[in-house]
Amino acid sequence: MGISKLLLVAVLAESIWEALKRLWEQDKISLDHGGALVISIILAIAIGIDFFVMFDIPIKIPYLGQIFTGIIISRGANFMHDLISIVEGIKGGVKTK
Protein backbone atom coordinates (compact mmCIF):
# COMPACT_ATOMS: atom_id res chain seq x y z
CA MET A 1 0.00 0.00 0.00
CA GLY A 2 1.39 3.37 -1.00
CA ILE A 3 1.62 6.36 1.29
CA SER A 4 -1.34 8.07 -0.41
CA LYS A 5 -3.57 5.07 0.33
CA LEU A 6 -2.33 5.00 3.91
CA LEU A 7 -3.21 8.69 4.31
CA LEU A 8 -6.60 8.08 2.71
CA VAL A 9 -7.34 5.20 5.10
CA ALA A 10 -6.36 7.45 8.04
CA VAL A 11 -8.74 10.19 6.82
CA LEU A 12 -11.56 7.68 6.31
CA ALA A 13 -10.97 6.06 9.73
CA GLU A 14 -11.12 9.45 11.45
CA SER A 15 -14.27 10.29 9.50
CA ILE A 16 -15.94 7.08 10.65
CA TRP A 17 -14.97 7.68 14.28
CA GLU A 18 -16.20 11.28 14.23
CA ALA A 19 -19.54 10.17 12.75
CA LEU A 20 -19.97 7.52 15.43
CA LYS A 21 -19.05 9.96 18.23
CA ARG A 22 -21.96 12.19 17.19
CA LEU A 23 -24.39 9.44 18.16
CA TRP A 24 -23.77 10.09 21.84
CA GLU A 25 -24.52 13.69 22.88
CA GLN A 26 -25.22 15.07 26.31
CA ASP A 27 -25.21 11.60 27.90
CA LYS A 28 -27.85 10.17 25.55
CA ILE A 29 -28.21 8.81 22.03
CA SER A 30 -28.94 11.45 19.40
CA LEU A 31 -31.95 10.32 17.36
CA ASP A 32 -31.13 12.82 14.59
CA HIS A 33 -27.62 11.48 14.09
CA GLY A 34 -28.78 7.89 14.58
CA GLY A 35 -31.49 8.26 11.96
CA ALA A 36 -29.08 9.83 9.48
CA LEU A 37 -26.60 7.04 10.17
CA VAL A 38 -29.12 4.23 9.60
CA ILE A 39 -30.52 5.79 6.42
CA SER A 40 -27.04 6.46 5.02
CA ILE A 41 -25.88 2.89 5.67
CA ILE A 42 -29.03 1.46 4.06
CA LEU A 43 -28.57 3.71 1.03
CA ALA A 44 -24.88 2.84 0.66
CA ILE A 45 -25.65 -0.90 0.76
CA ALA A 46 -28.70 -0.59 -1.54
CA ILE A 47 -26.75 1.45 -4.08
CA GLY A 48 -23.59 -0.61 -3.64
CA ILE A 49 -21.31 2.39 -3.08
CA ASP A 50 -17.97 1.75 -1.38
CA PHE A 51 -15.29 4.46 -0.99
CA PHE A 52 -12.63 1.88 -0.29
CA VAL A 53 -13.24 0.04 -3.58
CA MET A 54 -13.38 3.40 -5.41
CA PHE A 55 -9.86 4.14 -4.21
CA ASP A 56 -8.61 0.59 -4.79
CA ILE A 57 -8.41 -0.29 -1.10
CA PRO A 58 -10.20 -3.66 -0.88
CA ILE A 59 -11.82 -4.76 2.37
CA LYS A 60 -11.99 -8.53 2.77
CA ILE A 61 -15.18 -8.58 4.85
CA PRO A 62 -18.25 -8.37 2.58
CA TYR A 63 -20.37 -5.23 2.97
CA LEU A 64 -18.06 -3.66 5.56
CA GLY A 65 -16.78 -1.10 3.04
CA GLN A 66 -20.36 -0.16 2.19
CA ILE A 67 -21.24 0.15 5.88
CA PHE A 68 -18.20 2.37 6.48
CA THR A 69 -19.17 4.41 3.42
CA GLY A 70 -22.68 4.86 4.80
CA ILE A 71 -21.25 6.04 8.13
CA ILE A 72 -19.06 8.59 6.33
CA ILE A 73 -21.95 9.77 4.13
CA SER A 74 -24.10 10.29 7.23
CA ARG A 75 -21.96 13.30 8.11
CA GLY A 76 -23.61 15.28 5.31
CA ALA A 77 -22.91 17.04 2.03
CA ASN A 78 -20.58 19.71 3.41
CA PHE A 79 -18.40 17.08 5.01
CA MET A 80 -18.41 15.03 1.80
CA HIS A 81 -17.25 18.09 -0.15
CA ASP A 82 -14.41 18.61 2.33
CA LEU A 83 -13.52 14.91 2.23
CA ILE A 84 -13.33 14.92 -1.57
CA SER A 85 -11.04 17.95 -1.41
CA ILE A 86 -8.79 16.13 1.06
CA VAL A 87 -8.73 13.00 -1.10
CA GLU A 88 -7.89 14.99 -4.22
CA GLY A 89 -5.09 16.72 -2.32
CA ILE A 90 -3.70 13.39 -1.12
CA LYS A 91 -3.89 11.82 -4.57
CA GLY A 92 -2.42 14.87 -6.29
CA GLY A 93 0.22 15.82 -3.76
CA VAL A 94 1.81 12.51 -2.80
CA LYS A 95 3.57 10.36 -5.37
CA THR A 96 3.68 6.62 -4.79
CA LYS A 97 4.94 3.60 -6.68
Side-chain angles (χ1 to χ4, degrees), residues 1 4 6 16 21 29 50 53 55 57-58 64 68 73 84 86 93 95 97:
M1 177 182 303
S4 62
L6 184 62
I16 292 166
K21 280 190 343 186
I29 292 177
D50 186 334
V53 170
F55 298 111
I57 303 169
L64 192 56
F68 286 158
I73 289 170
I84 290 167
I86 290 168
K95 303 288 185 206
K97 295 182 182 181

Side-chain angles (χ1 to χ4, degrees), residues 14-97:
E14 181 181 7
S15 302
I16 292 166
W17 176 246
E18 290 300 321
L20 293 174
K21 280 190 343 186
R22 295 181 343 159
L23 278 176
W24 188 259
E25 292 181 344
Q26 299 173 354
D27 296 328
K28 64 181 180 178
I29 292 177
S30 169
L31 291 179
D32 287 338
H33 295 301
L37 186 65
V38 169
I39 290 169
S40 297
I41 291 171
I42 290 170
L43 282 172
I45 292 171
I47 295 168
I49 191 168
D50 186 334
F51 286 147
F52 293 88
V53 170
M54 286 178 176
F55 298 111
D56 196 30
I57 303 169
I59 294 180
K60 296 183 184 202
I61 301 171
Y63 298 102
L64 192 56
Q66 293 172 348
I67 292 168
F68 286 158
T69 299
I71 294 169
I72 293 166
I73 289 170
S74 75
R75 296 199 51 200
N78 288 336
F79 175 76
M80 290 305 305
H81 181 270
D82 293 343
L83 179 61
I84 290 167
S85 297
I86 290 168
V87 168
E88 287 174 351
I90 288 172
K91 289 177 79 176
V94 178
K95 303 288 185 206
T96 61
K97 295 182 182 181

